[in-house]
Amino acid sequence: MTAHVTPPARPATLEDVAAVAGVSRATVSRVINGATTVDPALRRVVEEAVATTGYVPNRAARSLVTRRTDSIALVVSERERRPVSEPFIGRMFSDPYFGRVVSGLLEVLRPAGIQMVLMLADDEASRIQLLSYLRQGHVDGVVLISSHAEDPLPGLLHDTRLPAVLAGRPRRASPLTYVEADQRAGAQLAADHLASLGRLRIGTVAGPQDMPAGEARLTGFLDALALHGIHDVARAEGDFTHAGGASAMRQLLRDRPDLDAVFIASDLMALGALPVLLRAGKDVPSDVSVVGFDDSSAALACDPPLTTVRQPVEEMAAEMARLLLQQIGKPGGPAPSVVFHPTLVERKST
């Protein structure tokens, strides 16, 4: 006995959608490809017909018409390859900042039907591979997170003529659009808060000074303290990691064991630094007031919960996505950079 097999249903075509909607194939095509010249009422009719027929656009064929891939690259650029004991990919996914950036980007990209490709660049070979991929037209644009001041990627990216947005103002002048929080102003908030508490023996765990954010947070903090008449500020440099914060805090206590306040230039470093203070017999905040920077999940994981400078990372990332889509939709149009203002979030560490 031979079993009866029902042949699979034929995939819906543009002609099927046009027949259901009562419009021409060309009108359906314009709606599918996002043309802005279609009457809104007619667009709704076509969209209902698409839902009724179950039509699925052929992305490959569509890209031949629109010359778009409906995908963007999130490029994370590192200074150099890290030791095997501290792989870059591991540090990236353990840092709350990157997760917040991805969350903010997806908030805008997903409703627009845009896919995101994560790419890493941490040496010359990976940069060459990245640029080759971009020039082959695999993505419509790039969001670049760069971790060091001398990174050549912003300039190389500009040469590709792809739409691009930088996460943070580059140290070198660049025609590329950027989105950032005012790092100096955020550090000034931390300094003003500690000074208002009457703290005088103040130290700081600074971020890496070859990174624009690390440099701006340190200079903003020191300049603001100087306005309060505080010039003798102990400092140690960390690397924006949990372990780096612990190591820098140990150095700071060796150099200034009597400190009564410390500004730590990232919440993740503060998460590593607070246990060092406690093991040294320092009560937080009675003996030492502590302020961090970012207002990430690490601030709430601290014991006690961390007073910190909030930079709205999710909102900044969403703005990066909007600016990038604007450039993709209107190549050559104006794309102004955007600067967000930080705020101070007070918790129990001060």
Side-chain angles (χ1 to χ4, degrees):
M1 183 173 66
T2 302
H4 176 71
V5 178
T6 302
R10 174 180 61 82
T13 65
L14 284 179
E15 288 76 10
D16 296 330
V17 177
V20 171
V23 300
S24 68
R25 183 185 187 281
T27 298
V28 174
S29 179
R30 295 208 312 276
V31 172
I32 295 296
N33 289 310
T36 59
T37 56
V38 180
D39 179 83
L42 196 58
R43 179 183 298 278
R44 284 193 295 272
V45 170
V46 172
E47 289 172 345
E48 289 172 1
V50 168
T52 299
T53 60
Y55 174 73
V56 178
N58 184 322
R59 295 179 70 89
R62 181 183 175 190
S63 68
L64 290 175
V65 175
T66 64
R67 296 186 180 276
R68 296 182 189 171
T69 65
D70 288 338
S71 63
I72 66 105
L74 172 59
V75 177
V76 183
S77 179
E78 175 78 341
R79 181 175 61 254
E80 59 187 12
R81 290 193 183 276
R82 297 278 176 169
V84 175
S85 61
E86 191 186 9
F88 176 40
I89 190 71
R91 290 196 314 111
M92 187 181 73
F93 285 113
S94 65
D95 189 333
Y97 173 80
F98 293 104
R100 296 175 69 191
V101 169
V102 170
S103 176
L105 291 172
L106 291 179
E107 179 183 331
V108 174
L109 297 176
R110 289 179 66 181
I114 305 298
Q115 303 299 313
M116 186 171 66
V117 180
L118 175 63
M119 306 193 72
L120 309 180
D122 57 0
D123 63 6
E124 181 65 19
S126 60
R127 281 193 292 271
I128 292 172
Q129 184 180 36
L130 166 69
L131 292 169
S132 174
Y133 181 88
L134 298 179
R135 290 189 177 109
Q136 289 172 29
H138 293 293
V139 296
D140 299 323
V142 177
V143 171
L144 173 62
I145 300 176
S146 177
S147 69
H148 58 109
E150 303 305 317
D151 190 354
L153 260 184
L156 296 172
L157 197 54
H158 178 252
D159 293 342
T160 69
R161 304 303 178 191
L162 270 175
V165 178
L166 305 181
R169 186 197 308 260
R171 178 183 287 177
R172 296 177 177 177
S174 170
L176 297 182
T177 299
Y178 64 83
V179 175
E180 72 162 359
D182 189 331
Q183 305 293 314
R184 286 179 58 92
Q188 289 164 0
L189 290 174
D192 292 342
H193 182 62
L194 293 175
S196 74
L197 298 174
R199 302 295 186 171
L200 298 173
R201 302 182 302 278
I202 300 176
T204 181
V205 172
Q209 293 306 288
D210 64 344
M211 294 178 62
E215 180 183 40
R217 292 176 196 181
L218 177 60
T219 56
F221 184 67
L222 297 178
D223 289 349
L225 284 183
L227 295 176
H228 292 282
I230 302 171
H231 302 278
D232 181 16
V233 181
R235 70 192 75 169
E237 185 176 322
D239 61 358
F240 286 149
T241 68
H242 181 281
S247 177
M249 191 71 247
R250 285 191 288 268
Q251 178 187 331
L252 199 59
L253 285 174
R254 287 193 297 268
D255 296 341
R256 191 69 182 270
D258 64 338
L259 61 79
D260 63 4
V262 59
F263 167 53
I264 304 176
S266 82
D267 295 344
L268 194 58
M269 289 201 297
L271 187 60
L274 279 174
V276 175
L277 282 170
L278 297 177
R279 285 194 295 271
K282 305 286 188 181
D283 181 77
V284 177
S286 298
D287 299 325
V288 181
S289 293
V290 180
V291 177
F293 200 110
D294 286 329
D295 194 28
S296 68
S297 58
L300 294 176
C302 287
D303 184 16
L306 190 66
T307 292
T308 186
V309 176
R310 181 177 190 272
Q311 55 173 347
V313 175
E314 291 86 353
E315 293 93 328
M316 292 160 58
E319 184 65 17
M320 285 188 273
R322 282 190 286 268
L323 288 172
L324 186 62
L325 294 184
Q326 177 182 322
Q327 290 184 43
I328 293 170
K330 294 183 178 179
S337 296
V338 178
V339 178
F340 284 74
H341 298 287
T343 55
L344 185 75
V345 180
E346 294 186 49
R347 297 194 180 96
K348 296 183 178 180
S349 67
T350 56

